């Protein structure tokens, strides 16, 4: 089994910490990012708790061997993960979501071949109906388990007897959840799907032409929608205007590029995402990430040196 605790001060690093999940996270709110993942897993079950202080745009692919069930401890929106609900994530190549600030999610994973009944309408987002009191009890149990691990000293290994106790408790609680739960009808999210499609297509079009990102008029023309529909879709789904959100996506792309190759020319990295005015780029980068791009590069170079340095004997 594996027990892991990760505290990250960068959304890019945060996305890499969940083993087995292919994720790309982009920070869409100004501020210094702080995120945490508590991960408890065995071959058959897994519980992880993910939280962060800032809103993120996330693209992910889940491990195909498991079903993944989400229940929020703190999630301000009711569209995707409703309060006091369990949502079964769909089977898909890529899942996109936008998190609100100060989110806190519990995710349970169970082997697909041991719970085949969860495969009904597997390509859709579904709700698992669980008695309210039962769900409350299980969620509080999972919160207590993860809180306990968060409060332990990081350099203090978890004794094997405690690891086994955690897994047994987790397996029993998941059995109670699935014994009492049944798949309900797909939530009525027709409008949500339309808004989601608009935002995702705009994102895709921007990624196709990073050096010359399309204007809002071009996006409206491509999607055959009005400016008002575009504005409403973004404001409802991501909490920002199209200009603000799509600019944040481009700034995050520059940041990932700098973290991957901090020795490249800053002007080239910015231009690759359509930022040709250096003072404007640096100002917006600093506004979003609360540091200049030069600091990002310096930190990445320092991290690279530390990872390649030989230990002193």
């Amino acid at each position: 089994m594996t027990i892991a605790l990760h505290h990250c001060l960068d959304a890019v690093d945060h996305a890499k910490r969940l083993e087995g999940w292919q994720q790309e996270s982009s920070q869409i709110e100004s501020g210094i990012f702080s995120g945490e993942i508590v991960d408890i897993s065995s071959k058959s079950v897994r519980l992880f708790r993910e939280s962060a202080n800032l809103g993120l745009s996330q693209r992910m692919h889940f491990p195909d061997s498991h079903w993944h069930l989400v229940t929020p401890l703190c999630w301000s929106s009711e569209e995707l993960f409703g309060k006091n609900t369990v949502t079964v994530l769909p089977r898909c190549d890529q899942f996109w979501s936008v998190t609100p600030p100060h989110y806190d999610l519990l995710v349970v994973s169970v082997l697909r071949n041991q719970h085949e009944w969860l495969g009904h309408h597997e390509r859709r987002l579904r709700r698992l109906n669980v008695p309210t009191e039962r769900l409350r009890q299980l969620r509080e149990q999972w919160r207590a388990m993860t809180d306990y691990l968060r409060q332990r000293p990081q350099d203090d290994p978890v004794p094997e007897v405690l690891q086994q106790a955690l897994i047994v408790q987790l397996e029993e609680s998941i059995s109670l959840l699935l014994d009492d739960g049944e798949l309900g009808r797909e939530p009525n999210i027709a409008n949500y799907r339309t808004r989601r499609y608009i935002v995702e297509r705009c994102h895709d079009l921007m990624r196709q032409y990073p050096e010359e990102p399309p204007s809002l008029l071009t996006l409206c023309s491509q999607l055959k929608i009005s400016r008002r529909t575009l504005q409403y879709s973004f404001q409802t789904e991501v909490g920002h205007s199209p200009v603000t959100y799509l600019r944040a996506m481009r700034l995050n792309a520059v940041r990932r590029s700098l973290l991957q190759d901090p020795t490249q020319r800053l002007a080239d990295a910015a231009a690759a995402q359509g930022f040709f005015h250096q003072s404007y780029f640096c100002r917006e980068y600093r506004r979003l990430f609360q540091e200049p791009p030069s600091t990002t590069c310096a930190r990445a170079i320092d991290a690279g040196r530390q990872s390649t340095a030989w230990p002193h004997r």
Side-chain angles (χ1 to χ4, degrees), residues 180-211:
D180 281 354
E182 60 179 20
L183 281 176
R185 293 183 178 181
E186 183 182 14
N188 184 15
I189 54 175
N191 290 334
Y192 159 75
R193 280 181 172 167
T194 300
R195 297 191 304 265
R196 183 186 180 90
Y197 171 79
I198 290 172
V199 174
E200 193 160 9
R201 282 293 293 131
C202 289
H203 198 174
D204 289 342
L205 288 168
M206 184 197 68
R207 291 164 71 103
Q208 287 177 28
Y209 309 101
E211 295 181 5

Side-chain angles (χ1 to χ4, degrees), residues 42-56:
S42 68
K43 290 182 179 180
S44 58
V45 296
R46 183 180 195 176
L47 167 68
F48 69 84
R49 179 177 174 182
E50 179 183 359
S51 58
N53 64 328
L54 300 177
L56 300 174

Side-chain angles (χ1 to χ4, degrees), residues 18-286:
L18 200 55
E19 186 175 349
W21 288 51
Q22 300 172 24
Q23 290 196 103
E24 180 184 283
S25 294
S26 297
Q27 180 179 326
I28 59 175
E29 291 190 325
S30 301
I32 299 175
F33 178 83
S34 178
E36 192 171 65
I37 294 174
V38 185
D39 194 358
I40 308 168
S41 63
S42 68
K43 290 182 179 180
S44 58
V45 296
R46 183 180 195 176
L47 167 68
F48 69 84
R49 179 177 174 182
E50 179 183 359
S51 58
N53 64 328
L54 300 177
L56 300 174
S57 174
Q58 295 182 319
R59 289 174 177 266
M60 62 196 85
H61 177 73
F62 328 120
D64 287 331
S65 56
H66 289 69
W67 296 114
H68 309 285
L69 293 74
V70 182
T71 185
L73 292 173
C74 181
W75 187 270
S76 59
S77 170
E78 288 290 323
E79 292 281 6
L80 192 58
F81 306 128
K83 185 179 179 181
N84 298 321
T85 64
V86 177
T87 302
V88 184
L89 295 179
R91 190 173 189 176
C92 57
D93 292 332
Q94 189 177 82
F95 185 76
W96 169 76
S97 71
V98 172
T99 71
H102 304 292
Y103 74 91
D104 194 349
L105 290 178
L106 292 165
V107 181
V108 166
S109 300
V110 296
L111 281 172
R112 189 183 297 272
N113 58 13
Q114 293 183 6
H115 304 279
E116 294 183 355
W117 61 277
L118 288 172
H120 187 60
H121 294 313
E122 64 177 15
R123 299 288 175 181
R124 300 178 181 176
L125 200 69
R126 293 149 296 151
R127 294 280 192 260
L128 185 68
N129 294 327
V130 180
T132 302
E133 182 59 22
R134 171 67 72 193
L135 179 57
R136 187 193 67 78
Q137 292 172 352
L138 295 177
R139 191 161 45 199
E140 286 307 307
Q141 184 180 22
W142 296 336
R143 184 204 294 265
M145 292 168 65
T146 52
D147 278 346
Y148 171 77
L149 293 172
R150 292 167 70 188
Q151 293 161 8
R152 285 180 58 85
Q154 289 195 24
D155 56 352
D156 188 7
V158 180
E160 184 152 347
V161 63
L162 177 56
Q163 294 184 35
Q164 292 303 319
L166 286 168
I167 286 296
V168 168
Q169 188 176 117
L170 179 57
E171 289 175 341
E172 290 177 349
S173 63
I174 291 175
S175 293
L176 288 172
L177 176 75
L178 297 179
D179 287 347
D180 281 354
E182 60 179 20
L183 281 176
R185 293 183 178 181
E186 183 182 14
N188 184 15
I189 54 175
N191 290 334
Y192 159 75
R193 280 181 172 167
T194 300
R195 297 191 304 265
R196 183 186 180 90
Y197 171 79
I198 290 172
V199 174
E200 193 160 9
R201 282 293 293 131
C202 289
H203 198 174
D204 289 342
L205 288 168
M206 184 197 68
R207 291 164 71 103
Q208 287 177 28
Y209 309 101
E211 295 181 5
E212 193 175 353
S215 67
L216 297 190
L217 288 177
T218 300
L219 292 173
C220 290
S221 176
Q222 289 270 2
L223 298 176
K224 296 179 172 58
I225 59 175
S226 68
R227 177 75 174 266
R228 183 176 180 180
T229 298
L230 181 72
Q231 184 79 20
Y232 176 74
S233 297
F234 271 86
Q235 202 65 51
T236 303
E237 288 306 305
V238 303
H240 298 279
S241 71
V243 170
T244 301
Y245 177 82
L246 294 174
R247 181 178 57 218
M249 294 300 99
R250 292 160 56 211
L251 289 167
N252 275 270
V254 178
R255 187 177 181 85
R256 280 190 288 271
S257 178
L258 294 177
L259 290 171
Q260 184 176 358
D261 180 11
T263 62
Q264 66 182 298
R265 291 183 69 245
L266 181 59
D268 292 342
Q273 295 298 325
F275 294 105
F276 297 99
H277 194 297
Q278 282 299 291
S279 61
Y280 170 78
F281 162 71
C282 291
R283 183 176 68 249
E284 291 303 312
Y285 188 99
R286 186 166 193 159

